[in-house]
Amino acid sequence: MGRTEWAASARPGPRCLNARVDTLRIGIIGTGNIGTSHARSLHHEVSGAQIAWLYDADTARASQLADELGANVAPDVARLIASSDAVVIASPDALHAEQALMCLDAQRPTLCEKPLAPTVAQAQSVVDAEVDLGRRLISLGFMRRFDPGYVALKDSLTTIGDPLIVHNVHRNSYAPYGLTTSGTLTNSAIHEIDINRWLLDDDYATVQVVTGRSGPRTPEGEFDPILILLTTCRGVLVEVEAFVNATYGYEVRCEVVGSEGTVEMGDGAYLTRRSERAIGHDLPELWLGRFEDAYRRQLQAWVDATHRGRTSGATAWDGLLATLTANAAVASIGHGPHAIELPIRPALYAQP
Ligand code: ISE
């Protein structure tokens, strides 16, 4: 049982958004892997916020975490949003857009896990609602933008001339949540879709998925690994190997090849080990280990930005473009390159 189930005494009224508060009362929707990780990180490692409310369809799971963190369990999403100063959406992908719309309706600053939505229509509805509201409240959890490795890579791009081609590797030990090929694109490789756009400061012009032989864990009719080939509007080639059942560990790599050199993302997180006549390093099983620092930095940046009435990191617009590109990639399977039709960027997203 959580410390407090929903009761009149446990109902803190929402505070005025612009009022200066020292500690944001955060509500987290979803207490699975990533929701639990965000909750613990906000509680133990991030300043300026406290976990006030948790909601999960599995009440026992939410209660257990609430007990651990001294938080309360909300009976439903609407009441969690109403009672919190700011909200983290960490529910299954298909629910992100609907819950983001509820947060916008209640005018709550929101950190929404990626993807903004699996479908373009859902993602577009969030952008439309935010544009109607006339202010940005959604920060999107493309946490790689906060990863020290990617930040250093972006900073070093000035040293290699013009970027010409980017090679990316994204391997999971096993398919998270039993992904399908379209899920590989809209849930997993969507990270590369966003991070390469951010690295190069460029939009995409075309996308194509190339499939080949699949490993033994791939269900009939699905493909794994796949290659995703993108071209940007300035003509840079972006190549991504997405392999969700790589079995041996979790690994993400990125190398940018420029006209005067190349730079590859090194990973300071790993220690090289020499033992038993071998040299190497351990790999995490899941992304939570590899991107621990990025998640923490993302949460602190979001809390700090929320205190200042701002958003941080990727926007709903970035989320829409990523979902649009991932869906164009799905449509390209079995066909040739797919042209990406960029919607007109609303003025609300003119500034980074
Ligand atoms: C998961 O949701 C993530 O965000 C991970 O970073 C990614 O590697 C994994 O494939 C996704 O399912």
Side-chain angles (χ1 to χ4, degrees):
M1 244 328 110
R3 203 176 49 139
T4 311
E5 289 289 344
W6 187 262
S9 61
R11 259 179 245 185
R15 290 184 277 189
C16 166
L17 255 189
N18 296 322
R20 173 73 209 156
V21 289
D22 292 331
T23 305
L24 289 175
R25 293 176 313 198
I26 310 280
I28 302 190
I29 306 171
T31 56
N33 271 349
I34 192 64
T36 297
S37 156
H38 285 333
R40 289 191 177 134
S41 180
L42 281 162
H43 184 78
H44 294 293
E45 302 171 330
V46 171
S47 60
Q50 72 180 82
I51 305 300
W53 294 97
L54 298 173
Y55 170 80
D56 196 282
D58 179 344
T59 310
R61 185 162 78 169
S63 295
Q64 206 178 356
L65 187 62
D67 276 348
E68 179 189 321
L69 303 178
N72 303 303
V73 176
D76 54 46
V77 170
R79 278 176 281 183
L80 176 140
I81 295 172
S83 312
S84 306
D85 295 325
V87 177
V88 174
I89 298 177
S91 51
D93 294 3
L95 300 177
H96 291 181
E98 170 191 325
Q99 293 167 348
L101 288 173
M102 292 170 77
C103 292
L104 286 176
D105 199 42
Q107 303 200 21
R108 292 294 185 275
T110 302
L111 176 64
C112 177
E113 257 307 318
K114 46 57 62 178
L116 181 56
T119 71
V120 178
Q122 283 176 315
Q124 183 73 58
S125 70
V126 179
V127 166
D128 290 347
E130 207 173 39
V131 168
D132 284 351
L133 189 65
R135 64 189 284 216
R136 281 169 22 185
L137 287 176
I138 306 283
S139 300
L140 199 67
F142 280 127
M143 81 299 184
R144 291 189 185 183
R145 293 178 178 219
F146 295 89
D147 177 63
Y150 276 110
V151 170
L153 183 61
K154 186 169 168 74
D155 286 347
S156 67
L157 290 187
T158 49
T159 61
I160 57 162
D162 286 334
L164 301 176
I165 180 163
V166 192
H167 301 288
N168 298 268
V169 167
H170 183 172
R171 299 186 189 136
N172 284 251
S173 311
Y174 48 86
Y177 326 113
L179 286 185
T180 56
T181 312
S182 68
T184 298
L185 289 156
T186 61
N187 171 281
S188 188
I190 198 160
H191 277 296
E192 273 73 22
I193 291 173
D194 179 70
I195 204 68
N196 284 276
R197 187 176 154 259
W198 173 82
L199 273 176
L200 299 168
D201 203 7
D202 201 354
D203 280 314
Y204 296 117
T206 66
V207 63
Q208 177 181 13
V209 172
V210 181
T211 59
R213 188 173 170 200
S214 291
R217 283 165 204 80
T218 311
E220 192 62 33
E222 306 295 340
F223 301 102
D224 184 52
I226 57 175
L227 273 182
I228 307 152
L229 305 176
L230 298 126
T231 57
T232 71
C233 296
R234 287 206 291 268
V236 181
L237 288 173
V238 174
E239 171 240 8
V240 183
E241 173 204 310
F243 190 8
V244 293
N245 268 311
T247 67
Y248 71 89
Y250 184 82
E251 211 178 359
V252 165
R253 300 202 295 255
C254 181
E255 180 190 19
V256 184
V257 180
S259 53
E260 286 160 35
T262 89
V263 56
E264 189 169 358
M265 185 175 61
D267 205 326
Y270 298 142
L271 297 180
T272 301
R273 185 169 33 78
R274 290 176 172 78
S275 69
E276 297 176 0
R277 294 185 188 75
I279 176 168
H281 59 241
D282 294 333
L283 291 172
E285 186 183 348
L286 284 177
W287 58 92
L288 291 174
R290 164 63 183 85
F291 288 110
E292 193 177 15
D293 204 15
Y295 281 121
R296 188 182 48 73
R297 286 167 190 255
Q298 172 180 253
L299 286 168
Q300 187 67 67
W302 175 63
V303 168
D304 291 347
T306 302
H307 277 296
R308 297 194 313 272
R310 306 284 305 271
T311 58
S312 62
T315 62
W317 174 251
D318 296 317
L320 169 63
L321 291 193
T323 293
L324 194 134
T325 307
N327 278 277
V330 175
S332 80
I333 297 175
H335 306 282
H338 200 94
I340 293 173
E341 291 195 15
L342 289 174
I344 294 169
R345 184 194 291 254
L348 186 65
Y349 306 104
Q351 304 298 324

